Amino acid sequence: MSTLEERDKLVKKEKNRLKKLFKDIPNNKLKAVDGLIIQAARLKILLDEMWIDISENGDVEMFCQSDKQDPYERERPMAKLFNSRDMSYQRIMKQLTDLIPLEKEGVMNIDDSSDLL
């Protein structure tokens, strides 16, 4: 796991990357979603670190509540937390993506659908 200083540098780098990606969001909305961009950057860095742990240690572990029971496989707490944070990250990214004007996304206007026929 990285130190706080290293993590802060990574978050700042990711925040700048996201701001470039979402530069087409209208300025008035961009100011309002600055917190979402920061949180998305934090989550991305945490998810990357967690992914390394899961890759090295797996999604499951053998677990036993007492010496009298046989151990059984259970989802590692890190994997469970990863899934929860990943869902939060995806929701934030969806919110940000939805703010990009349609013409910037390359999405076809409904009126242009006749071109397909």
Side-chain angles (χ1 to χ4, degrees):
M1 194 163 278
S2 32
T3 67
L4 185 58
E5 187 176 295
E6 291 170 336
R7 190 178 290 151
D8 284 344
K9 285 180 186 177
L10 292 170
V11 168
K12 185 176 181 178
K13 184 178 177 181
E14 179 63 12
K15 179 182 159 192
N16 291 335
R17 185 185 79 84
L18 290 174
K19 283 197 172 203
K20 286 179 188 173
L21 278 176
F22 296 111
K23 70 181 185 311
D24 292 327
I25 293 175
N27 246 1
N28 61 333
K29 290 181 181 178
L30 191 58
K31 289 177 185 175
V33 297
D34 191 56
L36 283 177
I37 290 174
I38 292 169
Q39 190 62 11
R42 290 175 181 155
L43 283 167
K44 172 76 168 73
I45 300 311
L46 288 171
L47 286 167
D48 289 347
E49 289 178 357
M50 294 170 85
W51 179 251
I52 292 168
D53 178 85
I54 292 168
S55 296
E56 291 173 353
N57 301 307
D59 285 332
V60 295
E61 64 187 357
M62 295 306 287
F63 179 76
C64 184
Q65 293 206 350
S66 75
D67 295 337
K68 297 175 185 173
Q69 292 180 330
D70 291 333
Y72 60 92
E73 261 187 11
R74 74 166 185 177
E75 183 179 30
R76 290 182 57 235
M78 182 67 75
K80 194 171 193 168
L81 187 55
F82 177 88
N83 290 332
S84 172
R85 285 184 177 163
D86 186 51
M87 286 176 30
S88 294
Y89 177 73
Q90 289 180 39
R91 277 193 302 269
I92 290 172
M93 295 304 289
K94 171 82 170 109
Q95 286 177 299
L96 291 170
T97 304
D98 286 349
L99 292 172
I100 297 172
L102 291 179
E103 59 274 4
K104 295 291 182 180
E105 287 181 354
V107 174
M108 186 183 312
N109 188 331
I110 294 174
D111 296 333
D112 295 337
S113 61
S114 62
D115 295 340
L116 294 175
L117 300 176

